[in-house]
Amino acid sequence: MAVTTKTSPTADQGPTQVPERTTVLRKILVRQETTLMLVIVVIGAFAASRSDLFLSQSNLTEILRSSVIYFVMACGAALLIIGGGLDFSAGAVFTLGALLTCKMLVDGIPWPLAILIGLVSCCAFGVINFLVITYLHVPPIIATLGTFYMLTGLNNLVTDGNDVIPIPQSFQEIAQGSVLGISSDVVIAAAVGVAFWFLLERTRFGVKVRALGGNRQAAVGNGLRVLRLDVALYVIAAGTAALAGVIYSAQVGAGQVTAGGTSTTLNAITAVLIGGVSLMGGMGSIQGIAVGAVLLSLIDNALVLTNIPPQYNSIVIGAILVSAVAVDHLRRARIYRKR
């Protein structure tokens, strides 16, 4: 008589694995933006306890306006870094865009056309960066630093070292006016942010950029036209740097030769890295960059209101930057362990 045994349906499937319980709240808490928001709350609470002016509407508006330049520059820089590139010429392109636009305004060219010509001219240097990196095989950091120094000299030649003034009031209203009670430069920055968020998160171009930065060899093997992507990213980075320069000129009412430079470049890249964009490429978000830019502006503002020496600004930002990059390293290591 044959003996039959009943086998459990799961007997041959090995040990049962308990799925990892990942709640929506947990996903939110581990995001870089959440950490930065907590830092902003802590710094804000400290500043508010030391100064009654901190929470005033005028001061909070000024914090947002001060972050506009960082954020607009950071949008293009972030897209480039996510795609695996790097651009240290942004500060000089920033100045060139401002000076070219203001010179044309002084010569009587209408401001929409002056801005367009200034932006297109600066985008040409994005193409130059791409060509030097791609066909002369110069590392991005060296190629773009070279462009930075050449443009710094060009900016002084174009203006003989003098600021470009006066510029029309109609142009200054681009940054000094208001839309529905909101400062117009903040509105412009918000529009740029929405456009870049859509480009990165909702288009095939954004998917390709992440794929390119995540694994360049795999992107080539999958048939992506990497050269087209590269040139587009360097042009976009140059364009946003120039746009930030134009907005800054409208804010201060002049084309300043001393604007931009190394500090502007480093502040933009710092906002990118603090905002959660990985220096190794492939990872990052526009909303994170927005929070990072506001944090940089907040630190400047809080130190002034609390009468803390400005030297501490660099110490605080440096500590936050190192912490952000360390968190990025741990985050990438965790992701690759799961794979």
Side-chain angles (χ1 to χ4, degrees):
M1 179 177 177
V3 178
T4 59
T5 58
K6 292 183 179 181
T7 304
S8 172
T10 60
D12 297 330
Q13 296 178 6
T16 304
Q17 293 183 352
V18 179
E20 182 180 359
R21 296 180 180 177
T22 304
T23 64
V24 174
L25 178 60
R26 182 180 178 185
K27 289 181 179 180
I28 293 174
L29 291 176
V30 299
R31 291 183 66 87
Q32 184 87 344
E33 303 96 281
T34 305
T35 303
L36 293 180
M37 288 298 296
L38 293 175
V39 174
I40 287 176
V41 169
V42 171
I43 295 176
F46 170 76
S49 67
R50 298 285 297 273
S51 173
D52 295 333
L53 295 176
F54 178 78
L55 292 178
S56 66
Q57 182 178 353
S58 59
N59 186 64
L60 295 178
T61 299
E62 184 58 33
I63 291 174
L64 285 178
R65 294 193 67 204
S66 298
S67 67
V68 164
I69 303 303
Y70 299 144
F71 177 63
V72 172
M73 288 186 71
C75 281
L79 207 64
L80 176 61
I81 293 174
I82 291 172
L86 190 63
D87 185 2
F88 275 96
S89 67
V93 176
F94 172 100
T95 307
L96 180 64
L99 294 178
L100 288 178
T101 301
C102 290
K103 281 187 69 68
M104 285 183 284
L105 290 170
V106 170
D107 292 337
I109 296 177
W111 67 261
L113 182 58
I115 292 175
L116 179 62
I117 294 173
L119 295 183
V120 171
S121 299
C122 289
C123 285
F125 288 95
V127 177
I128 292 173
N129 283 334
F130 162 76
L131 293 174
V132 171
I133 293 167
T134 303
Y135 294 104
L136 297 183
H137 305 291
V138 179
I141 187 171
I142 302 300
T144 56
L145 274 176
T147 303
F148 171 86
Y149 285 111
M150 288 188 286
L151 285 180
T152 299
L154 179 62
N155 291 334
N156 283 280
L157 287 175
V158 167
T159 61
D160 292 326
N162 300 315
D163 292 345
V164 181
I165 50 175
I167 56 178
Q169 183 63 34
S170 59
F171 172 75
Q172 296 182 47
E173 286 296 319
I174 294 174
Q176 298 179 15
S178 64
V179 179
L180 300 176
I182 303 173
S183 183
S184 52
D185 50 359
V186 174
V187 173
I188 293 173
V192 171
V194 170
F196 271 84
W197 174 86
F198 183 83
L199 185 66
L200 182 61
E201 305 293 347
R202 293 293 185 267
T203 67
R204 292 182 62 187
F205 179 81
V207 173
K208 292 177 180 178
V209 168
R210 289 192 187 277
L212 179 64
N215 191 324
R216 188 178 186 88
Q217 291 182 343
V220 172
N222 288 326
L224 293 186
R225 297 180 176 179
V226 296
L227 294 183
R228 289 189 180 184
L229 285 173
D230 282 338
V231 69
L233 292 174
Y234 277 101
V235 167
I236 290 171
T240 52
L243 177 60
V246 170
I247 296 172
Y248 180 77
S249 292
Q251 286 179 336
V252 301
Q256 297 180 344
V257 182
T258 56
T262 306
S263 61
T264 303
T265 301
L266 294 179
N267 282 335
I269 293 178
T270 299
V272 170
L273 298 180
I274 288 177
V277 173
S278 173
L279 194 58
M280 304 303 293
M283 298 171 59
S285 69
I286 299 301
Q287 54 268 36
I289 299 163
V291 180
V294 171
L295 177 58
L296 290 182
S297 178
L298 174 67
I299 292 171
D300 289 337
N301 182 272
L303 291 179
V304 171
L305 290 181
T306 55
N307 296 318
I308 296 176
Q311 294 88 338
Y312 286 92
N313 187 349
S314 299
I315 296 174
V316 173
I317 292 176
I320 294 175
L321 176 59
V322 171
S323 300
V325 175
V327 168
D328 170 62
H329 174 75
L330 295 174
R331 179 177 52 165
R332 292 180 70 90
R334 181 185 178 191
I335 290 173
Y336 288 128
R337 277 200 306 269
K338 287 184 177 181
R339 293 178 182 177

